[in-house]
Amino acid sequence: MELWVTEYQTPFLGLTCKVKATLRNEKTPFQHLAVVDTEQFGKMLLLDGMVMTTESDEYVYHEMITQIALNSHPHPENVLIIGGGDGGALREVVRHPKVKKGTLVEIDDRVVQAARDFFPDLACSFDDAKADVVIDDGVKFVQEHENFFDVILVDSTEPVGPAVELFSANFYRNVYNALKEDGILVVQSESPFYNKDVIQMAFKGIKSIFPITKLYLASIPTYPSGLWSFTVGSKKYDPEVVNYVRDDAELKYYSAEVHKAAFKLPPFVKKIIAGDE
Ligand code: SAM
């Protein structure tokens, strides 16, 4: 019997993958968690039926949510990741030579365990000497820190369940306060094709608090529409300026040229962030 998994990216559209085996299927205290081994993308982590990461294309998202801030900030020493329980963003953070500490705050320890069990290339970050993995609500965690982090990355699920508050202006204000006076915030802000409301909510919220607010894009095959956005709030530095790039072969999507090109937005995306769409 053939086995397929479908992520419904909108009520009218899905991504369907042929499955070799189901590796985990559980209800955690926060969400439904599944790990399947797919023919096309290798192992895939899904939360509440939404694709979080896959072995074959995880590098795009994890390089692009981290390198833009880490390479435009002159001294990204103390970095906070909210969400990111698969470990991929933390792997990129602790690999960066200028980073002294990467703190990951993930609300669901079953996600961390699933990464350890099935995604060793991502979970390797959890035991890095520069890493600190905290199981907590990121909303609460940022309220407990002031003038503390150089970079904060919000690698959250879609604005549902425990992630709803992570897209609020109140949360962005608390992030602003948790950042040092020259800090940078990056949030994953969903698809320009299917989620312009989420992009407008994130962009407007961040722009109401940060002096510099920009959006950049990346192509991610397993995310809805294949085009993904990230919104940057910066207290001082222009996130388009590349100060430094790791010169190791591990980077497969990001480069200094991609860094600059990612901010070149198509007219329809410019209209979304201008609120004209
Ligand atoms: N790259 C994925 C994407 O773009 O959808 C996100 C990956 S990561 C698995 C998302 C994580 O955010 C999940 O593990 C989820 O448990 C976590 N999360 C959601 N709300 C949270 C909160 N309030 N505090 C900390 N982690 C949270």
Side-chain angles (χ1 to χ4, degrees), residues 31 45 47 51-52 61-62 82-86 105-108 111 136-139 155-158 162-163 166 188 190 223 228:
Q31 50 215 335
L45 169 67
L47 294 177
V51 175
M52 293 292 119
Y61 176 88
H62 293 129
I82 293 171
D86 52 55
V105 179
E106 163 60 57
I107 200 166
D108 191 345
V111 176
D136 197 0
D137 183 343
V139 176
D155 179 9
S156 71
T157 36
E158 287 67 6
L166 298 179
Q188 76 85 6
E190 306 279 304
Y223 279 6
W228 212 246

Side-chain angles (χ1 to χ4, degrees), residues 60 63-65 67-69 186 189 192 203 214-219 227-232 239-242 253-266 269-270 273:
V60 180
E63 288 179 16
M64 289 303 282
I65 195 171
Q67 300 302 320
I68 300 282
V186 174
S189 43
F203 196 88
K214 294 193 175 182
L215 186 124
Y216 63 92
L217 301 173
S219 303
L227 185 66
W228 212 246
S229 75
F230 301 86
T231 303
V232 195
E240 292 194 55
V241 173
V242 186
Y253 184 93
Y254 175 90
S255 68
E257 294 76 18
V258 167
H259 184 131
K260 297 184 190 92
F263 287 91
K264 306 302 178 204
L265 305 177
V269 179
K270 288 182 180 172
I273 57 178

Side-chain angles (χ1 to χ4, degrees), residues 67-78:
Q67 300 302 320
I68 300 282
L70 295 179
N71 294 340
S72 53
H73 195 296
H75 46 83
E77 296 177 359
N78 198 1

Side-chain angles (χ1 to χ4, degrees), residues 117-148:
D117 294 343
F118 301 109
F119 297 91
D121 290 349
L122 306 182
C124 56
S125 58
F126 296 144
D127 302 318
D128 189 282
K130 294 198 274 187
D132 180 18
V133 179
V134 175
I135 301 301
D136 197 0
D137 183 343
V139 176
K140 181 167 75 66
F141 188 87
V142 291
Q143 290 170 347
E144 296 160 353
H145 292 77
E146 193 168 341
N147 187 30
F148 195 76

Side-chain angles (χ1 to χ4, degrees), residues 15-34:
L15 172 77
T16 299
C17 302
K18 192 159 186 224
V19 171
K20 289 192 277 191
T22 298
L23 304 172
R24 185 154 294 171
N25 188 355
E26 71 173 83
K27 187 82 179 73
T28 81
F30 297 94
Q31 50 215 335
H32 179 265
L33 181 152

Side-chain angles (χ1 to χ4, degrees), residues 59 63 92 95 245-254:
Y59 63 91
E63 288 179 16
E92 293 306 313
R95 273 180 180 164
V245 179
R246 250 169 55 199
D247 58 1
D248 57 25
E250 286 165 331
L251 290 168
K252 298 198 293 186
Y253 184 93
Y254 175 90

